[in-house]
Amino acid sequence: MVEIIIAVLIISGLGLIFGVGLSYASKVFAVEVDERVTQIREVLPGANCGACGYSGCDGFANAVVEGEAPTNGCPVGGNAVAQEVAGIMGVEPEGIKRTAARVLCNGRNSVSKEKYEYQGIDTCAAAASHFGGHKACTYGCLGHGDCKNACPFDAIVMVGGIARIVEDRCRACGMCVLACPKNLIEIIDKTKKYSVMCMSKDKGAVTRSHCQVGCIGCTKCVRACPQQAISMEGTLAKIDYSKCDNCGECTKVCPTMAIRVMDFGE
Amino acid sequence: MLASILITFVSAVFINNFVVVKFLGICPFLGVSKKIKTAAGMGAAVIFVMTFASAVTWLVQEFMLKPLELEYLQTIAFILVIAALVQLVEMILQKTSQSLYKALGVYLPLITTNCAVLGVCLLNLEIQGDARFLMSVLNGAFSGVGFTLAIVLFAGIRERLETAQVPKCLEGFPISLIAASLVSLAFLGFQGLFQGLI
């Protein structure tokens, strides 16, 4: 009987010593976790998409508490999340700019020419590595849907051989921007309706021979814009979205319909 | 004295390497060996735990269990010591190196069940001769070094495997196991190194 008691005492005594030691150590090595981090983490969407520029939602929550990231830095959560985050941080909520991705090419198969018949692997990246792709225009959308596959929100559809963004679903995370081998996709303020839907840097005549709806660099829109928001970059018109007020004068004068309203809902 | 320390070192690190010769502690060896940095961190944690576990368990054995003739409690008492030490390491790591703490993840508390640690504590009791306590602690530390050597070497191999062209059926764990067996085979070359000396 005594042996059993001694054994029990020895082991429980050891346990007690280690327990007390560890509880003391946990005080010494305590790591302070700001409870706001966990609160912010809970209101975030949790997609870990990285659109905020931080490594996932945890990284963003830490950055907000440390004052590095703005409370409206989560483009996926939008205004609702921005308000909640601001509430947790105890600051005035700031509105979030609603942006969406836009594919700047209008060269559907019906209006653009093919250079050759492509029968390789069905991705844009693979197609682009064969003489710049099967489109006559080396700048145009190849339509194999690399962006569509990259989109975590199912917001990209392929229409007539080119990619189109469903803006209602787009969360501006930028995955498609990275996926496009032709760099055709830009994140643009949703409220600005007009865009130059062409990225061709070819000369006007060359562009026209490749595609009926390309920007041929005629500069008519530059002169027509009352806000002077359009300028030429080589042979390509560029809209300064900070000046654009959606008046639509540019569409009216564009001979190839390269500038047009992007209104592609569900 | 110096000679026996040297022999202990070579024995623990190369000849009787816990991972690749005795096949103890395989779980973290395969689990945390994807990157050299985390592997080295794991190795450092294991060195720490092994060294202190050797010291504490030896004292527990010699001054508590032996006089009371309770040697049969070895295993449970040692596990208690190891678990407490691992908890301590975890706290220290969380305080000092968040990134390493996150990288080690679940494998850190799993050092508790790393049989290499318990193994070294039990094997220490077989050490004969003078300065047994010192030799036990050194053996623990050197065994940890051996573990670190093996895991870092293996992590280096696995980093290269990432870019190697591996047949589809062998991708991932299968090729890692094959690589591990080759590392083990290489370490077998150290067997009999001291046969003439001792």
Side-chain angles (χ1 to χ4, degrees):
Chain A
M1 192 60 201
V2 183
E3 291 92 351
I4 298 176
I5 293 170
I6 290 175
V8 169
L9 281 181
I10 289 285
I11 291 296
S12 43
L14 270 179
L16 191 71
I17 294 168
F18 291 138
V20 171
L22 278 181
S23 65
Y24 179 70
S26 73
K27 286 252 167 60
V28 175
F29 295 108
V31 179
E32 281 177 29
V33 179
D34 199 320
E35 61 181 23
R36 289 179 301 180
V37 175
T38 35
Q39 282 173 354
I40 291 176
R41 181 64 190 80
E42 273 165 24
V43 297
L44 291 176
N48 285 319
C49 63
C52 50
Y54 295 92
S55 58
C57 295
D58 284 321
F60 177 69
N62 274 321
V64 170
V65 172
E66 278 163 25
E68 284 174 26
T71 52
N72 60 356
C74 176
V76 178
N79 274 328
V81 166
Q83 259 169 16
E84 282 188 72
V85 173
I88 293 164
M89 291 298 291
V91 294
E92 281 293 307
E94 295 168 54
I96 193 164
K97 255 201 203 161
R98 288 321 301 263
T99 53
R102 208 170 275 178
V103 184
L104 299 178
C105 175
N106 239 341
R108 296 183 305 281
N109 288 343
S110 52
V111 293
S112 62
K113 284 186 190 146
E114 295 277 294
K115 191 162 25 182
Y116 57 89
E117 193 181 331
Y118 178 72
Q119 292 185 333
I121 303 163
D122 191 20
T123 68
C124 305
S129 62
H130 294 86
F131 306 105
H134 48 82
K135 277 224 160 118
C137 172
T138 50
Y139 301 94
C141 174
L142 296 169
H144 294 282
D146 282 15
C147 50
K148 185 184 176 185
N149 296 335
C151 180
F153 302 102
D154 204 14
I156 301 183
V157 289
M158 309 307 293
V159 182
I162 53 168
R164 278 288 166 260
I165 313 267
V166 183
E167 294 202 348
D168 295 344
R169 290 197 213 148
C170 178
R171 294 281 180 269
C173 69
M175 301 298 264
C176 51
V177 178
L178 297 174
C180 181
K182 296 288 181 188
N183 295 321
L184 286 173
I185 308 178
E186 283 181 11
I187 306 285
I188 295 168
D189 190 339
K190 259 189 186 179
T191 58
K192 307 295 178 186
K193 291 196 286 184
Y194 299 91
S195 286
V196 181
M197 302 297 286
C198 182
M199 291 290 260
S200 171
K201 294 186 180 72
D202 286 332
K203 286 198 175 120
V206 180
T207 304
R208 185 153 230 168
S209 69
H210 291 155
C211 175
Q212 294 168 27
V213 293
C215 174
I216 53 172
C218 66
T219 71
K220 271 187 182 167
C221 52
V222 178
R223 279 171 272 142
C225 182
Q227 304 295 323
Q228 269 115 46
I230 308 181
S231 58
M232 298 302 292
E233 266 184 24
T235 58
L236 188 61
K238 281 274 171 206
I239 298 178
D240 181 350
Y241 293 104
S242 61
K243 290 184 190 160
C244 174
D245 66 348
N246 288 333
C247 70
E249 290 297 323
C250 45
T251 354
K252 289 176 196 159
V253 298
C254 183
T256 58
M257 303 269 284
I259 302 184
R260 55 171 68 190
V261 186
M262 266 334 290
D263 191 13
F264 200 87
E266 287 273 352
Chain B
M1 185 66 189
L2 208 62
S4 58
I5 289 177
L6 190 70
I7 289 174
T8 312
F9 178 79
V10 178
S11 161
V13 176
F14 299 109
I15 303 173
N16 290 318
N17 188 298
F18 262 94
V19 183
V20 290
V21 177
K22 290 193 174 153
F23 303 123
L24 294 171
I26 296 288
C27 164
F29 178 65
L30 291 171
V32 205
S33 56
K34 280 213 178 96
K35 284 200 188 112
I36 290 182
K37 193 167 170 273
T38 50
M42 185 70 181
V46 170
I47 292 178
F48 180 88
V49 174
M50 275 191 171
T51 311
F52 281 87
S54 296
V56 179
T57 53
W58 195 89
L59 293 175
V60 166
Q61 164 78 8
E62 204 68 6
F63 296 108
M64 285 179 84
L65 302 182
K66 230 180 197 174
L68 295 165
E69 293 177 348
L70 288 171
E71 276 105 336
Y72 62 90
L73 286 176
Q74 260 175 7
T75 317
I76 191 167
F78 287 7
I79 286 287
L80 212 58
V81 172
I82 295 165
L85 279 171
V86 170
Q87 278 294 314
L88 190 66
V89 173
E90 205 176 337
M91 284 175 199
I92 295 172
L93 265 187
Q94 199 178 5
K95 179 89 177 172
T96 53
S97 171
Q98 276 284 337
S99 54
L100 187 59
Y101 176 76
K102 275 183 190 147
L104 290 176
V106 70
Y107 290 101
L108 193 55
L110 276 182
I111 301 179
T112 310
T113 53
N114 186 341
C115 44
V117 182
L118 183 63
V120 80
C121 295
L122 291 172
L123 290 175
N124 278 339
L125 305 177
E126 291 170 11
I127 293 176
Q128 306 288 328
D130 46 345
R132 282 185 302 143
F133 177 67
L134 180 69
M135 293 314 276
S136 297
V137 176
L138 285 178
N139 190 37
F142 294 154
S143 297
V145 173
F147 179 89
T148 311
L149 176 77
I151 197 170
V152 170
L153 271 180
F154 190 52
I157 293 171
R158 276 183 84 170
E159 277 189 359
R160 296 198 179 191
L161 276 180
E162 293 273 305
T163 53
Q165 281 199 326
V166 181
K168 188 90 182 156
C169 57
L170 292 178
E171 265 173 23
F173 250 114
I175 194 73
S176 299
L177 287 172
I178 292 171
S181 71
L182 292 177
V183 173
S184 167
L185 211 56
F187 268 79
L188 276 182
F190 290 112
Q191 292 295 323
L193 194 62
F194 279 137
Q195 231 140 43
L197 287 172
I198 310 166

